[in-house]
Amino acid sequence: MSGKNLLKAIILGDSGVGKTSLMNQYVNKKFSNQYKATIGADFLTKEVMVDDKLITIQIWDTAGQERFQSLGVAFYRGADCCMLVYDVNNMKSFETLDNWRDEFLVQASPKHPESFPFIVLGNKIDLEESKRQISQKRAMAWCQSKGNIPYFETSAKEAINVEQAFQQIARNALMQEADVPEFNFPPSVSLDAEQKQDQGDCNC
Amino acid sequence: MHEAYTYQLIQDKPPLEVTALCSYDNKLFVGTKDGILLIYEINDNDDAFNVSLVDSRKDFTKKEIKELYAIEGINILLCLSDTQLLAYNLETLQFITQVAKLQGVQYLDIYNSVSKENEVNLFKNDINIENNNNNINDNNSNIIIKLALAIRKKLIILQWNQNSFEKLNEFNLSHTIKTISWGKEYTLCIGFARNYAFIDLSTDTIDYFSLGNSLIDLTSFTPSKFTKVYTNSLPNNQFLLTKDDASTYIAETGQPLKSVNIKWSAIPLAVVYMHPYFIALLPQMVEIRAFNSGILIQNIELNVTNAVVSNDILFSSNDKDLYTIIPIDFDNQVVQLLNKKQFSESLQLVELYSSIFTPDEKVAEITRIRSLEAKYLFKEEKDYERAFGIFLSLEIDPNEILQLYPMLDSNEEILALKNSKNNKDESSFDKLQSINHLVHYLTEQRSRLTKQRLYLLSIQNRSSMPKSFSNSTINSYLSAAVSEFSLSTIVYYRQLSLPDVEALSNVIDTALFKVYMIVNDALIGPLLRVHNNCDMDVCESLLKSQNKYSELIDLYKGKGYHKKALDILITKGESPDESMYGPYHIITYLQKLNKTDFDLVLEYSVWVIEHYPEESLEIFTYEKFSGDELLRGIIVDHLEKHSKDVCIKYLDYIINRLNDSSSENHNKLASYYLEKIVSLKEGDEERKKYEENLKNLLEKSTCYSPNLILSQLPKQSLYEIRAVLLSHIGEHRKALSIYFNELNDPKMAEQYCIKYYNPEDEKVKDVFFTLIQIHLEKEKKEEISDDVLELLNKYGAYIDAAKIMEIFPESTKLNKLGIYFEKFFQELMNRKHNQKIIYNLLKSEQLQVREELMNYQSQSIGISEERVCKKCLKRIGTSVFVKDSNNSVIHYGCMKSKKK
């Protein structure tokens, strides 16, 4: 496993699906029923143990509103993982997952788009079953078709599966990190990368 | 190091030793050791610059001319000679008087409100000078001229008043004065050998300051021939204090500023400030340093001892010769540096010359230099990391950067590079490196363009948005969006219009496409699927050449060329060795089409219906289409034409799953089931299934027309279905007779009765009677059978005795009917008791209501002249009113409007 101990995670999804709530539930263990649109982007950090390793996750919350979707590339660049969130009671928010994924890939242009660690969260499962519009089966089929993206059904309100989802994404991101040296670009590049990693260790 | 100044010898000079210089208008006065004054004329026009001797005054003074000062405004030329201060007429050069009859004057400085103002203005902005000159000429009477004279430790202040200098003040200082410099009208900086002082004339206070260790080590101080203290008054009210070989900045409060200290290469004889440089006359050379940083700019090998600035030209002299030292303009200086690839020095130069630029010009100049630097790094150093670090920080036309990538213009080269990824060939490796860096640059430009596009659209929307729409949330989003844009210093993008944005976005996206094609083709799909302006032809030909059909379909889809995309999907769907074999890719594509493209959905669904009838249903049952009831009719018509089987499944889906309630669809489904049933042999499993479906439909649905279906029903079969239909139209007798006579199933007839019996409904309240009647008709016996008796005993309560007696055969023995009667009468009694209870309950309720009524009627309120409505406070008068529980009254009309 690599020496990196800071992970940058980005949360994407339509407006109102609960991105900020998920982040707040995970980091602050708090939930508010009031809706407040996120403006621009915001981030929180949390330290977490992944397989006996202390990792700091930096979670970047984004605005789902179209107006704020022109976030700079700097925002996406260097992301180690990406969480796609939809509302299981809102068909449109599920159908736009494709779009969010594509948008992320173009903006971040990761070296290995096929194996980039995504995770899909179907949020708001605490609402009554009759309101639900997307079945677990359908969501899982979508995840499967996009290269076996892990899928979690969550409730930011009831704190269901939130911890588990973040744990999973941290683990996947670290595994992706470990894959990097396989990248067959010339020695000059990987040498740089190693140096950077060394610096990272010294910073503690 | 570069050339900021150049020098020129003034040829026209007699062999006299120059000791003082001063300039006025286009004249240069030169004082000599022998007391002779030479007058030169400066001709500075566009064609040429020359200085020529026009006049001279022998015996101007008796001894050496030490200093010369021309004072504009009062037309006086001051001359310091033999420690006396002499005043002359500036025009005629006639001697006027010895100022204040003073002896022993060693140094002096002049405060002139006119030239001071000019200086300040020069620093602020060049353009206003002429205006100010005019103003000042008009106000000559307000001109303030002050002299500060040093006689050893004594400082004397004089002021010009009407036609002579009058003594204003006198100070005795602690040390011998070495230099004097005026700041503002009331501040003076005085330099001594080891320290300095600030004098505030408005309060007559003297503050002494030590030069401090940072500047000069005082212990090592040894007086020498060259030891001089200089102060230069700078436009921003600071001073440059020079002692020995060091200069330091002093704030107008007298505190030394630590930020800039200048260490000259040798001890200067004089330091001259000429924005933006300090020019120091050193023994054997002239040294030029930047005024803001003290950085060494240039050394000129020239031995001069005297200097004066006139109209941006420095005149300088030594014992023998007279020189002009001429500044080189900014553009020329920058070119020198850029030619030497000294980019950071070029930027420092822009900073140095800040005052000649408007803020926008300055940004443009910095951008120009930075982009030259980045291109140099890119082309010559191949340091793409740093080059793009700069490119990304600038807002320049992205086309300039794309010009660095000529290989992207040819498809052949793009494909060659794509295939060279595993080669170790150095040149293509280098190209790939540079292309990798382009990825982030292009994606960044995409987001900048998006920002500008949103900004332009938001402006457009705001001007066209009616007021009622501008609710607070929309407004807050808008203002947040707009403020985000205005914060960023967009230079290049800010000036783009919407069509410009689209055109540039086409260039950027197409380039990004090509770059992805070379270095990371897995990202082509995402790019083509998100909002993009990729060039159709370029992408099409590259994708085709690489057989990237899935991406090609994404491209067509994004551009709205659905037919092209669908044609490929069908071709691929037909070839078993393709990854897109089968119906699912085309089904998904059709599902994603808009309802406005529904014609296409119908057209291309035909292939799926023909080849994959089972799967084809998924196209039409997709929520987007089937949720729209208008489309259902179109879909049904379409399916009828191409496949009845699919049509049946579709109708079944919309009726049973989506609860469709159109009678047309229900009739159609029933008819199709019938058709199917008829076409199949009796006993066939499939037929049974259809029969079951039909029966379920007919039993549950209320939307079909039973008569229509009855007319289609084949005779002599499907009795059960016929019975269901008959029951729907109330033909219970017929239905029961079918169970009895055709199906021979009395049990089902009995079930039928249980199902439909309802004592309240006229049509079905006698259904059990009908059952018995049919029984008896069928048996045609003298005696009633046991079957009938059993039915009577079971359901006797629901059969009217009066009616049934009439149809019993005459020989019926009453004793057999005992149980029946008992049951029937019990039922009658039961009903009677029930009715009685209900009657009494209703009666008691009526009494209660009546009591309540009486209670209400007994209440009253008086409406007098004074009685007013609680709400509108107007008189009730004769209008309709309402009384509330507090006995207050309110107009009927007012109450209604209150509720709203």
Side-chain angles (χ1 to χ4, degrees):
Chain A
M1 205 153 270
S2 77
K4 186 155 182 173
N5 53 15
L6 177 73
L7 290 179
K8 180 172 173 182
I10 287 178
I11 310 186
L12 297 175
D14 275 6
S15 140
V17 297
K19 298 180 290 301
T20 308
S21 296
L22 281 165
M23 182 173 83
N24 266 330
Q25 178 58 259
Y26 178 59
V27 178
N28 302 323
K29 306 260 178 279
K30 276 182 190 155
F31 178 82
S32 159
N33 258 321
Q34 265 187 332
Y35 176 66
K36 222 174 103 192
T38 306
I39 292 179
D42 196 7
F43 80 86
L44 290 177
T45 56
K46 177 164 168 129
E47 293 197 330
V48 59
M49 290 295 289
V50 179
D51 300 334
D52 300 332
K53 196 172 171 223
L54 188 64
I55 302 290
T56 306
I57 310 191
Q58 193 179 65
I59 306 157
W60 287 75
D61 180 25
T62 62
Q65 247 104 15
E66 294 239 340
R67 282 189 190 288
F68 301 108
Q69 282 174 23
S70 58
L71 295 164
V73 177
F75 174 81
Y76 294 97
R77 198 173 314 152
D80 297 294
C81 48
C82 176
M83 315 185 94
L84 301 170
V85 185
Y86 77 96
D87 172 357
V88 296
N89 312 298
N90 177 343
M91 181 58 84
K92 203 184 144 278
S93 74
F94 176 72
E95 282 171 347
T96 50
L97 282 186
D98 255 319
N99 215 337
W100 283 111
R101 182 176 167 273
D102 287 336
E103 194 72 59
F104 174 83
L105 286 173
V106 173
Q107 296 274 21
S109 297
K111 292 260 188 270
H112 299 280
E114 302 91 340
S115 59
F116 187 86
F118 282 100
I119 190 168
V120 173
L121 307 187
N123 194 31
K124 304 199 189 178
I125 56 163
D126 48 275
L127 295 184
E128 40 187 296
E129 190 62 30
S130 62
K131 286 191 176 167
R132 187 161 174 144
Q133 292 193 7
I134 297 97
S135 67
Q136 185 168 12
K137 198 178 139 202
R138 182 159 173 201
M140 286 174 95
W142 186 85
C143 292
Q144 184 115 32
S145 75
K146 300 293 167 192
N148 272 327
I149 302 179
Y151 175 68
F152 285 87
E153 303 225 316
T154 59
S155 162
K157 188 178 180 180
E158 307 293 342
I160 301 171
N161 262 343
V162 177
E163 194 80 33
Q164 290 88 328
F166 277 90
Q167 189 79 16
Q168 175 83 37
I169 189 85
R171 187 168 314 209
N172 287 14
L174 285 173
M175 273 164 61
Q176 173 76 5
E177 275 290 305
D179 284 347
V180 169
E182 282 175 31
F183 171 50
N184 66 346
F185 239 74
S188 61
V189 173
S190 55
L191 203 68
D192 263 3
E194 263 174 33
Q195 278 171 355
K196 270 177 197 157
Q197 282 163 13
D198 286 345
Q199 284 169 355
D201 269 344
C202 295
N203 281 343
C204 59
Chain B
M1 298 263 289
H2 70 278
E3 288 190 5
Y5 289 88
T6 171
Y7 70 94
Q8 210 175 302
L9 179 69
I10 297 173
Q11 303 287 350
D12 197 3
K13 182 183 164 289
L16 297 164
E17 191 178 330
V18 178
T19 50
L21 291 170
C22 112
S23 81
Y24 157 68
D25 204 6
N26 64 338
K27 289 199 179 91
L28 176 68
F29 299 113
V30 176
T32 69
K33 192 157 191 176
D34 314 315
I36 298 172
L37 184 75
L38 304 172
I39 299 108
Y40 286 82
E41 205 167 82
I42 306 159
N43 286 309
D44 184 10
N45 52 38
D46 289 345
D47 303 329
F49 171 77
N50 70 62
V51 180
S52 49
L53 184 64
V54 289
D55 202 356
S56 65
R57 291 279 189 283
K58 276 185 187 171
D59 300 325
F60 188 68
T61 57
K62 285 170 193 145
K63 297 214 169 156
E64 174 184 343
I65 301 176
K66 279 239 170 174
E67 306 268 359
L68 284 169
Y69 296 94
I71 310 177
E72 337 169 22
I74 58 169
N75 210 26
I76 295 270
L77 178 67
L78 285 180
C79 170
L80 180 64
S81 177
D82 193 22
T83 73
Q84 297 177 357
L85 195 56
L86 309 169
Y88 296 80
N89 183 308
L90 190 57
E91 298 294 335
T92 62
L93 299 176
Q94 292 297 315
F95 176 70
I96 302 171
T97 180
Q98 181 190 352
V99 175
K101 308 281 177 232
L102 290 163
Q103 296 285 338
V105 178
Q106 275 155 326
Y107 304 100
L108 79 149
D109 195 30
I110 300 175
Y111 174 82
N112 184 339
S113 60
V114 177
S115 48
K116 191 78 190 171
E117 261 176 56
N118 282 352
E119 251 175 52
V120 171
N121 286 327
L122 178 82
F123 191 72
K124 280 183 187 155
N125 202 335
D126 287 344
I127 300 154
N128 292 327
I129 286 180
E130 273 180 34
N131 295 339
N132 280 329
N133 268 344
N134 294 340
N135 292 343
I136 287 154
N137 289 338
D138 294 342
N139 300 325
N140 262 357
S141 52
N142 295 333
I143 191 167
I144 297 162
I145 310 285
K146 288 183 182 176
L147 300 182
L149 308 173
I151 304 172
R152 295 186 177 278
K153 292 182 177 179
K154 195 190 286 173
L155 179 74
I156 296 166
I157 311 293
L158 303 176
Q159 181 164 13
W160 177 257
N161 191 2
Q162 306 289 350
N163 48 16
S164 67
F165 284 102
E166 287 173 5
K167 191 162 165 185
L168 212 62
N169 213 337
E170 188 177 317
F171 297 90
N172 280 310
L173 303 176
S174 60
H175 300 86
T176 305
I177 298 167
K178 289 285 183 185
T179 181
I180 305 173
S181 192
W182 280 96
K184 286 192 275 190
E185 191 186 339
Y186 293 101
T187 47
L188 271 168
C189 177
I190 312 291
F192 310 108
R194 289 163 192 246
N195 55 358
Y196 64 97
F198 263 69
I199 299 182
D200 185 339
L201 294 178
S202 59
T203 56
D204 289 349
T205 47
I206 306 168
D207 288 322
Y208 289 93
F209 293 92
S210 154
L211 280 169
N213 296 331
S214 65
L215 185 60
I216 297 155
D217 183 1
L218 289 173
T219 54
S220 70
F221 174 77
T222 43
S224 77
K225 185 181 160 196
F226 289 118
T227 299
K228 272 197 167 183
V229 182
Y230 277 95
T231 47
N232 294 69
S233 170
L234 304 178
N236 48 358
N237 293 321
Q238 294 179 354
F239 295 90
L240 185 79
L241 186 66
T242 307
K243 185 175 184 305
D244 294 341
D245 62 347
S247 295
T248 191
Y249 269 80
I250 296 182
E252 66 182 308
T253 55
Q255 304 295 337
L257 295 166
K258 297 271 162 106
S259 57
V260 185
N261 286 324
I262 300 172
K263 186 86 173 164
W264 301 99
S265 315
I267 296 172
L269 302 166
V271 175
V272 178
Y273 168 69
M274 230 175 130
H275 188 76
Y277 294 110
F278 286 123
I279 300 165
L281 313 183
L282 307 180
Q284 308 305 327
M285 71 172 169
V286 173
E287 188 161 294
I288 293 147
R289 285 175 184 269
F291 95 104
N292 57 355
S293 59
I295 287 171
L296 176 62
I297 301 292
Q298 187 187 6
N299 280 325
I300 302 172
E301 284 196 19
L302 191 63
N303 183 13
V304 282
T305 52
N306 253 312
V308 66
V309 179
S310 164
N311 294 329
D312 283 341
I313 293 162
L314 185 79
F315 295 92
S316 195
S317 67
N318 58 22
D319 298 354
K320 297 184 214 97
D321 292 318
L322 195 57
Y323 297 94
T324 52
I325 296 180
I326 307 157
I328 292 169
D329 66 17
F330 168 80
D331 290 343
N332 191 321
Q333 292 183 53
V334 133
V335 167
Q336 293 176 43
L337 290 171
L338 291 177
N339 285 342
K340 286 192 277 183
K341 310 298 174 206
Q342 293 180 334
F343 299 105
S344 61
E345 286 82 355
S346 304
L347 292 173
Q348 282 168 12
L349 195 67
V350 175
E351 212 45 59
L352 198 57
Y353 275 91
S354 278
S355 63
I356 71 167
F357 299 110
T358 65
D360 278 356
E361 282 170 356
K362 187 174 166 187
V363 171
E365 184 63 18
I366 290 172
T367 305
R368 184 179 77 93
I369 293 169
R370 297 273 286 156
S371 85
L372 284 171
E373 179 180 10
K375 284 176 190 167
Y376 169 77
L377 288 170
F378 185 98
K379 287 188 199 153
E380 308 298 328
E381 309 262 309
K382 307 230 176 282
D383 188 342
Y384 306 118
E385 182 99 37
R386 278 177 64 204
F388 274 99
I390 296 173
F391 282 142
L392 278 168
S393 70
L394 301 176
E395 290 246 11
I396 49 175
D397 183 355
N399 284 302
E400 277 186 43
I401 283 115
L402 288 174
Q403 275 163 13
L404 299 168
Y405 291 88
M407 58 279 212
L408 294 182
D409 292 337
S410 124
N411 282 2
E412 288 72 36
E413 211 164 333
I414 288 170
L415 296 176
L417 275 169
K418 178 179 175 58
N419 298 327
S420 72
K421 259 188 278 184
N422 299 321
N423 296 354
K424 294 285 170 195
D425 155 34
E426 205 173 304
S427 109
S428 49
F429 172 71
D430 180 62
K431 279 182 187 167
L432 286 173
Q433 281 280 67
S434 71
I435 289 170
N436 267 324
H437 282 92
L438 188 57
V439 173
H440 289 312
Y441 177 78
L442 291 173
T443 47
E444 176 70 34
Q445 304 315 306
R446 268 177 63 82
S447 84
R448 286 184 195 177
L449 278 171
T450 309
K451 259 188 199 168
Q452 176 68 3
R453 185 185 290 125
L454 285 174
Y455 171 66
L456 291 169
L457 290 175
S458 77
I459 290 175
Q460 232 173 46
N461 289 346
R462 251 194 312 182
S463 52
S464 65
M465 197 171 7
K467 273 209 170 144
S468 56
F469 277 104
S470 55
N471 66 47
S472 62
T473 32
I474 291 180
N475 266 343
S476 69
Y477 293 155
L478 269 179
S479 60
V482 170
S483 71
E484 193 189 333
F485 297 123
S486 51
L487 279 176
S488 60
T489 53
I490 298 170
V491 177
Y492 179 73
Y493 287 103
R494 189 176 49 188
Q495 53 206 352
L496 297 183
S497 67
L498 217 45
D500 291 341
V501 167
E502 296 311 318
L504 185 59
S505 144
N506 173 276
V507 172
I508 298 283
D509 288 350
T510 311
L512 186 59
F513 172 86
K514 291 171 177 174
V515 168
Y516 280 159
M517 187 60 132
I518 297 169
V519 297
N520 201 345
D521 55 14
L523 289 172
I524 294 177
L527 173 64
L528 293 174
R529 288 195 294 267
V530 300
H531 177 90
N532 73 84
N533 263 325
C534 287
D535 189 272
M536 173 78 179
D537 297 337
V538 173
C539 299
E540 189 179 31
S541 75
L542 274 168
L543 289 171
K544 276 187 176 164
S545 73
Q546 294 295 296
N547 294 329
K548 292 191 172 296
Y549 290 104
S550 144
E551 282 88 353
L552 193 58
I553 288 161
D554 287 332
L555 171 74
Y556 288 145
K557 187 177 175 190
K559 302 275 173 199
Y561 289 90
H562 300 302
K563 267 180 172 292
K564 282 189 168 196
L566 287 161
D567 286 338
I568 295 178
L569 280 167
I570 287 185
T571 325
K572 298 293 152 192
E574 279 170 348
S575 9
D577 42 348
E578 289 279 353
S579 61
M580 285 185 275
Y581 177 66
Y584 283 105
H585 286 90
I586 192 161
I587 289 173
T588 315
Y589 194 101
L590 291 174
Q591 286 175 338
K592 297 261 167 83
L593 283 175
N594 284 329
K595 282 194 229 169
T596 45
D597 290 320
F598 198 66
D599 287 348
L600 278 175
V601 178
L602 294 178
E603 184 183 341
Y604 282 89
S605 67
V606 174
W607 179 84
V608 189
I609 297 170
E610 279 169 8
H611 295 81
Y612 301 92
E614 286 287 325
E615 289 85 353
S616 72
L617 197 61
E618 286 178 34
I619 303 170
F620 304 107
T621 55
Y622 198 61
E623 213 274 328
K624 180 163 61 180
F625 302 140
S626 282
D628 184 339
E629 293 191 18
L630 282 175
L631 286 186
R632 287 185 196 164
I634 299 173
I635 295 170
V636 171
D637 289 347
H638 175 73
L639 291 175
E640 268 178 334
K641 259 182 262 163
H642 293 98
S643 164
K644 285 242 165 85
D645 286 338
V646 180
C647 189
I648 289 172
K649 282 186 186 134
Y650 181 71
L651 285 167
D652 176 64
Y653 179 84
I654 58 173
I655 289 169
N656 290 320
R657 299 285 291 279
L658 305 179
N659 301 321
D660 183 274
S661 60
S662 125
S663 66
E664 198 180 340
N665 287 339
H666 285 246
N667 286 338
K668 264 187 187 158
L669 182 58
S671 305
Y672 286 143
Y673 278 144
L674 262 180
E675 255 177 53
K676 277 281 162 194
I677 293 163
V678 172
S679 70
L680 293 161
K681 273 186 203 159
E682 230 162 303
D684 189 299
E685 279 302 315
E686 215 184 328
R687 177 178 162 130
K688 272 188 195 155
K689 199 186 82 198
Y690 282 121
E691 280 179 23
E692 194 59 34
N693 287 347
L694 178 60
K695 204 177 112 197
N696 283 339
L697 174 73
L698 296 179
E699 278 178 344
K700 278 186 208 152
S701 163
T702 52
C703 303
Y704 61 94
S705 330
N707 286 319
L708 183 80
I709 313 295
L710 269 175
S711 71
Q712 292 169 356
L713 219 53
K715 284 176 183 137
Q716 317 301 340
S717 64
L718 301 175
Y719 291 111
E720 208 177 332
I721 283 161
R722 188 177 291 270
V724 174
L725 286 167
L726 287 170
S727 74
H728 265 259
I729 51 175
E731 297 274 6
H732 301 288
R733 195 189 164 82
K734 281 188 187 169
L736 282 172
S737 121
I738 286 174
Y739 285 118
F740 251 94
N741 300 324
E742 316 298 339
L743 298 171
N744 273 323
D745 193 343
K747 278 275 168 245
M748 271 188 74
E750 203 179 319
Q751 290 300 317
Y752 182 95
C753 291
I754 294 170
K755 185 173 160 194
Y756 286 101
Y757 174 75
N758 180 1
E760 310 291 327
D761 186 345
E762 201 60 37
K763 276 183 184 166
V764 285
K765 72 172 191 187
D766 290 330
V767 71
F768 283 102
F769 168 78
T770 314
L771 179 69
I772 303 285
Q773 198 175 28
I774 291 170
H775 248 284
L776 292 173
E777 275 167 16
K778 198 183 173 195
E779 286 172 354
K780 285 182 187 153
K781 285 180 187 162
E782 293 294 298
E783 281 286 310
I784 39 175
S785 65
D786 289 347
D787 289 346
V788 176
L789 267 181
E790 199 188 322
L791 281 174
L792 273 175
N793 292 345
K794 248 190 197 167
Y795 306 109
Y798 316 121
I799 301 166
D800 189 345
K803 278 188 184 171
I804 201 86
M805 293 299 284
E806 286 178 14
I807 61 164
F808 280 148
E810 285 181 3
S811 54
T812 307
K813 288 188 176 129
L814 276 176
N815 62 353
K816 283 191 175 174
L817 298 174
I819 300 173
Y820 160 67
F821 284 126
E822 204 172 299
K823 270 211 160 177
F824 179 68
F825 288 125
Q826 250 174 18
E827 172 66 16
L828 272 187
M829 287 305 286
N830 191 12
R831 268 189 235 167
K832 188 181 169 186
H833 290 148
N834 264 336
Q835 295 300 336
K836 235 182 192 163
I837 292 168
I838 291 168
Y839 170 80
N840 285 322
L841 282 172
L842 286 172
K843 200 165 186 179
S844 75
E845 196 182 336
Q846 190 204 6
L847 286 172
Q848 277 172 11
V849 172
R850 186 175 285 174
E851 189 198 348
E852 217 173 322
L853 177 68
M854 276 155 65
N855 189 21
Y856 283 126
Q857 282 176 341
S858 68
Q859 296 176 16
S860 70
I861 48 165
I863 299 293
S864 61
E865 285 284 304
E866 289 80 32
R867 197 78 193 226
V868 292
C869 168
K870 187 182 165 192
K871 182 155 182 255
C872 68
L873 302 176
K874 284 179 188 152
R875 276 198 305 125
I876 295 290
T878 54
S879 3
V880 185
F881 66 89
V882 177
K883 175 187 86 71
D884 68 14
S885 48
N886 300 331
N887 266 347
S888 52
V889 289
I890 183 164
H891 281 117
Y892 183 65
C894 290
M895 182 200 65
K896 278 180 110 179
S897 60
K898 191 177 168 188
K899 272 182 184 163
K900 270 177 203 167

